[in-house]
Amino acid sequence: MIIYNGKGVYGAVAIGRISVYKRQAAAVTRIEITDKGSELKRVEDAKAKAIEQLQAIYDKALKDVGEDNAAIFEVHIMMLDDEDYNDSIRNIIETESVNAEYAVSVTAGNFAEMFAAMDDSYFQARAADIKDISNRLIACLSDGGAGQDTSDEKAIICADDLAPSETVSLDKEKVLAFVTAFGSSNSHTAILARNMNIPAIIGVGEEFLKNINDGDLAIVDGFTGEVFVDPDPETLAKLTAKQEEDIAKKKLLQELKGKENVTVDGKKIKIYANIGSVDNIGSVIANDAGGVGLFRSEFLYLENDDYPTEEQQFEAYKKVLESLPGKQVIIRTLDIGADKQVGYFNLDKEENPAMGIRAIRICLTRQDIFKTQLRALYRASVYGNLGIMFPMITSVSEVKKIMEICDSVRADLKVSDIPFSENVEHGIMIETPAAAVISDLLAPMVDFFSVGTNDLTQYTLACDRQNPKIEPFVDIRHEAILRLIKMSADNAHAHGAWIGICGELAADTSLTETFLRMGIDELSVSPSFVLKVRDQVRKTDLSK
Ligand code: PEP
Ligand code: MG
């Protein structure tokens, strides 16, 4: 047995086999072949395998997320069976005497281009699906190939580090836990792991990857940050007991479903959930969150190979709103840049990307992107109770400009007779020290504040949230942070705005009482923490 130590980012225990994450193969190479018959047979076998995989995913999705959401996998199966698509692959192999992977890759490129050029937004969106099914087919041709292991067994995914876009594209149904050699606990990958309710350990060091192999048995203890590779029977027994105890504890919390978020002495608070994708709605409902306090809309951009269209965004926002009737859903406009890089944005390489062109700064310099998102948001607003929130605010002039753009987008919709709700709340994130310090000036301009403690901490303490080496210097409960939150809360209330916290600190139950005493109106946490925070609120007595 070898024990590795890192930092646990979600408390749970996982026991299973290791799967070493394989990066997507850089490019498919063109290889001349002589035996066309066997190449055609490889395509047929890979296709059968891909359809089998998709059928299994469809069946599971049908059970978990319902027919509407599962339908896309049925479409994928139909696409794989499409005559023109298959003819094209066959023709390329036969006429050019090339390998199957190359033929699939060229076909994918041609079809994706053809779809992207169509006028109808439905067909435009199919370009991404063609690429998706073709990648699956290529993966099946190379026996599992790139990315995640395609076997059915759930596994502990081990990698050097995972970019947010890689994490979102993992098949979550097959992930038991994450272990990364590098990475920091406040990174978006860590946040995603928390959202997915799976144990994750980051920063176990470089040696780890050199010493593990696919299929090794391992235990991940997300509470202590330990990874036991090839555990001895004693450790296995001890950690199995710990896992069972944890599951029992989490089950107990389920009894709090349907109960109010109210302190012993009667003070109420809203507890909402943070989500990063439409797929997380199930866990918002399962954990009885009062609403969504932060929908990180940038994941729509990270999942795509090109700018998501107004129509694609509208459908996603509409779906979230319709799935949570009567509940407030706060969607944050895109927060790209810094660690969330998206190739097609073609952002310049910066020395200090966290302090560079990110989030609202991109939106204000590339207003076409911003307006497309706002149009989609306002159009969706008639399907529920929408709040729109803007990230990385530092000044009054930014908020003024944002509100002018919002006004102009609504005016355009009005002229075109496109309906939108008049009750959309507008808020800003307080995640820079500047915003907290001038919160008295910002509060009259908005309906609400939401404190982003992840960035507020990095900018206040001058500690890069991506740099694991700096963690010993990060005091997440630093008095400076707490004072900035208190100052923002007082200023919000003095001007009739409400204030929430949506950074990871909102789930820190050692601070729940502090936040309640500050008068924080809402805490927005990963869905799996909603009941834990409710439990803490219900145990708190502010009269003492
Ligand atoms: C934050 O900074 O606290 C926050 C909620 O935003 P993100 O983590 O997406 O940067
Ligand atoms: Mg932030």
Side-chain angles (χ1 to χ4, degrees), residues 332 335 358 429 431 452 454-455 465:
R332 178 176 73 183
D335 186 5
R358 65 172 284 199
M429 293 203 57
E431 55 181 345
N454 309 334
D455 278 315
R465 68 192 269 192

mmCIF file of all heavy atoms in Angstrom, residues 332 335 358 429 431 452 454-455 465, ligand 2:
data_model
loop_
_atom_site.group_PDB
_atom_site.id
_atom_site.type_symbol
_atom_site.label_atom_id
_atom_site.label_comp_id
_atom_site.label_asym_id
_atom_site.label_seq_id
_atom_site.Cartn_x
_atom_site.Cartn_y
_atom_site.Cartn_z
ATOM 1 N N ARG A 332 -25.773 34.022 -13.983
ATOM 2 C CA ARG A 332 -24.679 34.975 -14.096
ATOM 3 C C ARG A 332 -24.221 35.034 -15.547
ATOM 4 O O ARG A 332 -24.053 33.991 -16.191
ATOM 5 C CB ARG A 332 -23.518 34.520 -13.203
ATOM 6 C CG ARG A 332 -22.318 35.448 -13.306
ATOM 7 C CD ARG A 332 -21.230 35.045 -12.372
ATOM 8 N NE ARG A 332 -20.546 33.846 -12.814
ATOM 9 C CZ ARG A 332 -19.571 33.257 -12.122
ATOM 10 N NH1 ARG A 332 -19.216 33.739 -10.950
ATOM 11 N NH2 ARG A 332 -18.978 32.177 -12.570
ATOM 12 N N ASP A 335 -18.517 34.377 -17.500
ATOM 13 C CA ASP A 335 -17.307 34.702 -16.746
ATOM 14 C C ASP A 335 -16.150 33.908 -17.336
ATOM 15 O O ASP A 335 -15.596 33.024 -16.706
ATOM 16 C CB ASP A 335 -17.528 34.358 -15.262
ATOM 17 C CG ASP A 335 -16.362 34.793 -14.376
ATOM 18 O OD1 ASP A 335 -15.433 35.429 -14.887
ATOM 19 O OD2 ASP A 335 -16.387 34.482 -13.177
ATOM 20 N N ARG A 358 -11.265 39.517 -18.425
ATOM 21 C CA ARG A 358 -12.141 38.390 -18.086
ATOM 22 C C ARG A 358 -13.543 38.917 -17.768
ATOM 23 O O ARG A 358 -13.739 40.106 -17.547
ATOM 24 C CB ARG A 358 -11.594 37.565 -16.911
ATOM 25 C CG ARG A 358 -11.518 38.289 -15.599
ATOM 26 C CD ARG A 358 -11.159 37.352 -14.436
ATOM 27 N NE ARG A 358 -12.293 36.534 -14.017
ATOM 28 C CZ ARG A 358 -12.386 35.918 -12.831
ATOM 29 N NH1 ARG A 358 -11.412 36.035 -11.949
ATOM 30 N NH2 ARG A 358 -13.442 35.206 -12.498
ATOM 31 N N MET A 429 -22.023 40.806 -8.672
ATOM 32 C CA MET A 429 -21.195 40.057 -7.743
ATOM 33 C C MET A 429 -20.271 41.026 -7.034
ATOM 34 O O MET A 429 -19.721 41.942 -7.642
ATOM 35 C CB MET A 429 -20.391 38.994 -8.496
ATOM 36 C CG MET A 429 -21.305 37.947 -9.054
ATOM 37 S SD MET A 429 -20.502 36.387 -9.374
ATOM 38 C CE MET A 429 -19.829 35.932 -7.801
ATOM 39 N N GLU A 431 -17.026 40.655 -5.743
ATOM 40 C CA GLU A 431 -15.916 39.701 -5.704
ATOM 41 C C GLU A 431 -14.576 40.388 -5.914
ATOM 42 O O GLU A 431 -13.561 39.730 -6.097
ATOM 43 C CB GLU A 431 -16.127 38.554 -6.694
ATOM 44 C CG GLU A 431 -16.370 38.940 -8.125
ATOM 45 C CD GLU A 431 -16.607 37.726 -9.035
ATOM 46 O OE1 GLU A 431 -16.311 36.590 -8.651
ATOM 47 O OE2 GLU A 431 -17.084 37.958 -10.164
ATOM 48 N N GLY A 452 -18.939 36.909 -4.072
ATOM 49 C CA GLY A 452 -18.143 35.799 -4.623
ATOM 50 C C GLY A 452 -16.873 35.685 -3.804
ATOM 51 O O GLY A 452 -15.855 36.317 -4.102
ATOM 52 N N ASN A 454 -14.747 33.405 -3.511
ATOM 53 C CA ASN A 454 -13.571 32.752 -4.113
ATOM 54 C C ASN A 454 -12.638 33.801 -4.704
ATOM 55 O O ASN A 454 -11.439 33.817 -4.443
ATOM 56 C CB ASN A 454 -13.990 31.770 -5.215
ATOM 57 C CG ASN A 454 -15.064 30.813 -4.754
ATOM 58 O OD1 ASN A 454 -15.166 30.541 -3.572
ATOM 59 N ND2 ASN A 454 -15.875 30.318 -5.673
ATOM 60 N N ASP A 455 -13.213 34.685 -5.507
ATOM 61 C CA ASP A 455 -12.376 35.738 -6.085
ATOM 62 C C ASP A 455 -12.090 36.842 -5.075
ATOM 63 O O ASP A 455 -10.997 37.410 -5.058
ATOM 64 C CB ASP A 455 -13.037 36.314 -7.348
ATOM 65 C CG ASP A 455 -12.759 35.440 -8.555
ATOM 66 O OD1 ASP A 455 -11.598 35.033 -8.733
ATOM 67 O OD2 ASP A 455 -13.703 35.118 -9.298
ATOM 68 N N ARG A 465 -5.859 32.000 -6.782
ATOM 69 C CA ARG A 465 -6.669 30.836 -6.406
ATOM 70 C C ARG A 465 -6.265 29.574 -7.162
ATOM 71 O O ARG A 465 -6.668 28.483 -6.824
ATOM 72 C CB ARG A 465 -8.172 31.131 -6.584
ATOM 73 C CG ARG A 465 -8.627 31.301 -7.998
ATOM 74 C CD ARG A 465 -10.034 31.874 -8.076
ATOM 75 N NE ARG A 465 -11.067 30.859 -8.121
ATOM 76 C CZ ARG A 465 -12.339 31.112 -8.428
ATOM 77 N NH1 ARG A 465 -12.743 32.353 -8.658
ATOM 78 N NH2 ARG A 465 -13.230 30.160 -8.468
HETATM 79 MG MG MG B 2 -15.691 34.691 -9.261
#
